[in-house]
Amino acid sequence: MGAESAEKSGKLLINEQMFQEISDFLLASKRNALVSALDRAGELSQGKIAQEISSSAASLANIMTKFEQFNHKLLEVKSVGKYRVYSLSDIGKAYVRQAKGRAGHRDEGKSLEKEDEELLKKAEESLRAFELKQGESWQRKFDDAMMRRTCGVGKRLEEKSERLVDEYLGCLERLTLRENDEALDRALRLLPNQILLDRVGIYMDRFDPFLPVMERLCDGKAAFALLEGLRAVFTGEDEKPDKLFESAGLGGREYANLRTAAAELKNCVEGYGKEEIYQYFSALLPDCEALSYSIAGWIRGEIC
């Protein structure tokens, strides 16, 4: 039968190769959670899926892109008014049905890679150190720190506490860059309540649009157009940044997400000095100090 699917007794079957390919794809916990949610509910709107799998809107958009790019069509989508409603495709249903009939088809206990383990450990150590320093009020103080990062309101905590919050968030961002959903979920579950999870989710929503940019900045051919596009986005100059991003290999959705994030981030750092803006973006964009310096200059209206 090769890699093809076939009908038998009115039910779609998939062969071993397809089953393994889909199983490997669903090792990412958010993808697996999405398929499980649709299996339970039958169909869900995009907003409901985000709630079911505890995902931000930007993160879910990235997840949906992964499904669209996957070799096997696992999802069906239809428009209902202004909403997009998803359900499992025939192949998706066949996979779930066959998976339920197999014992231990996935290796849930698969160990993390060393770097992911180290990032997860550092995330836990940073959060525990923050708790120890702030005492019983640590959750409120952490919320204060996140409110300043997401809404631009409130005062900075003392330097060590701010650094510990940045370290924890930096671990989340690096795990996102490494595309390890399992380790990322475990790091997020260190937070004790939904309010803090929501705050961190908003922060990560601001980080997500930069992912394709950070990936392509390593490409010398794309870097110039990307930097010119970013400068136009942050300064508001009329240089058709959408065309610049397109020439660097990014589509309209990536540009729109980045433009929205840039406007929100500029509001967050309104009134900040250049060094404060640089520190903010250095924390938001790990290992991108030079880009953070440029963004600080663009926001401050410097010619660079």
Side-chain angles (χ1 to χ4, degrees):
M1 187 168 55
E4 299 297 323
S5 57
E7 292 283 350
K8 184 176 182 180
S9 301
K11 289 186 177 181
L12 185 70
L13 298 177
I14 56 178
N15 67 15
E16 188 62 30
Q17 180 181 335
M18 289 179 66
F19 185 90
Q20 190 57 54
E21 289 173 356
I22 296 171
S23 293
D24 290 343
F25 178 73
L26 295 180
L27 280 173
S29 59
K30 291 285 188 182
R31 299 174 199 166
N32 188 58
L34 188 153
V35 168
S36 297
L38 290 177
D39 178 50
R40 291 192 303 270
E43 62 178 28
L44 290 168
S45 67
Q46 195 159 325
K48 288 292 185 181
I49 291 174
Q51 293 177 14
E52 286 285 330
I53 69 174
S54 300
S55 173
S56 65
S59 294
L60 182 60
N62 287 333
I63 293 169
M64 289 304 187
T65 298
K66 297 290 186 185
F67 273 94
E68 291 171 6
Q69 295 171 345
F70 185 48
N71 292 336
H72 307 299
K73 183 180 179 182
L74 300 180
L75 306 180
E76 298 284 357
V77 59
K78 63 181 179 181
S79 295
V80 180
K82 63 179 181 178
Y83 299 104
R84 303 188 82 194
V85 176
Y86 290 85
S87 60
L88 293 178
S89 68
D90 287 342
I91 292 176
K93 292 174 183 176
Y95 172 80
V96 170
R97 184 168 59 249
Q98 290 176 225
K100 288 179 178 179
R102 301 189 184 196
H105 68 283
R106 289 182 62 224
D107 183 10
E108 299 289 352
K110 185 177 181 180
S111 60
L112 301 176
E113 294 182 16
K114 182 178 179 181
E115 186 173 344
D116 298 324
E117 286 281 12
E118 291 174 351
L119 286 169
L120 184 56
K121 181 180 179 182
K122 184 177 180 181
E124 184 171 9
E125 290 174 346
S126 300
L127 208 55
R128 295 293 82 83
F130 184 88
E131 180 180 356
L132 184 63
K133 184 166 182 60
Q134 296 296 336
E136 294 183 356
S137 64
W138 82 269
Q139 294 185 37
R140 178 173 59 81
K141 292 293 187 180
F142 190 91
D143 189 39
D144 290 343
M146 293 310 304
M147 283 291 290
R148 193 178 65 79
R149 284 163 173 77
T150 57
C151 302
V153 299
K155 296 181 179 179
R156 283 179 61 88
L157 305 177
E158 81 285 347
E159 197 60 33
K160 183 177 180 180
S161 293
E162 290 286 347
R163 177 174 56 79
L164 290 170
V165 173
D166 283 339
E167 284 181 0
Y168 172 73
L169 295 172
C171 290
L172 300 183
E173 291 162 342
R174 287 179 171 86
L175 288 170
T176 301
L177 286 167
R178 288 178 56 78
E179 297 186 335
N180 192 319
D181 292 337
E182 175 63 27
L184 179 60
D185 282 353
R186 285 165 62 179
L188 285 168
R189 287 198 294 269
L190 296 170
L191 295 171
N193 62 65
Q194 190 61 46
I195 292 176
L196 298 186
L197 278 169
D198 289 344
R199 296 275 191 253
V200 170
I202 294 171
Y203 184 83
M204 295 299 288
D205 279 349
R206 310 273 170 78
F207 169 69
D208 283 350
F210 288 91
L211 286 171
V213 172
M214 294 167 73
E215 292 173 356
R216 284 171 173 77
L217 279 177
C218 297
D219 180 353
K221 295 180 180 179
F224 182 80
L226 279 176
L227 290 171
E228 284 290 283
L230 283 170
R231 182 172 66 85
V233 165
F234 278 99
T235 62
E237 295 177 4
D238 185 18
E239 294 196 26
K240 298 183 177 180
D242 56 330
K243 298 299 182 184
L244 290 167
F245 283 113
E246 183 179 339
S247 69
L250 298 183
R253 181 166 62 181
E254 287 91 348
Y255 164 66
N257 289 340
L258 190 60
R259 184 179 59 184
T260 299
E264 293 170 342
L265 289 165
K266 288 173 70 174
N267 286 334
C268 283
V269 299
E270 186 175 359
Y272 284 21
K274 183 177 180 180
E275 185 174 0
E276 289 179 295
I277 298 174
Y278 164 75
Q279 291 172 344
Y280 182 96
F281 279 92
S282 291
L284 180 70
L285 306 175
D287 307 316
C288 291
E289 286 78 9
L291 176 58
S292 299
Y293 180 83
S294 296
I295 292 174
W298 296 332
I299 291 176
R300 293 286 294 174
E302 298 180 2
I303 299 175
C304 53

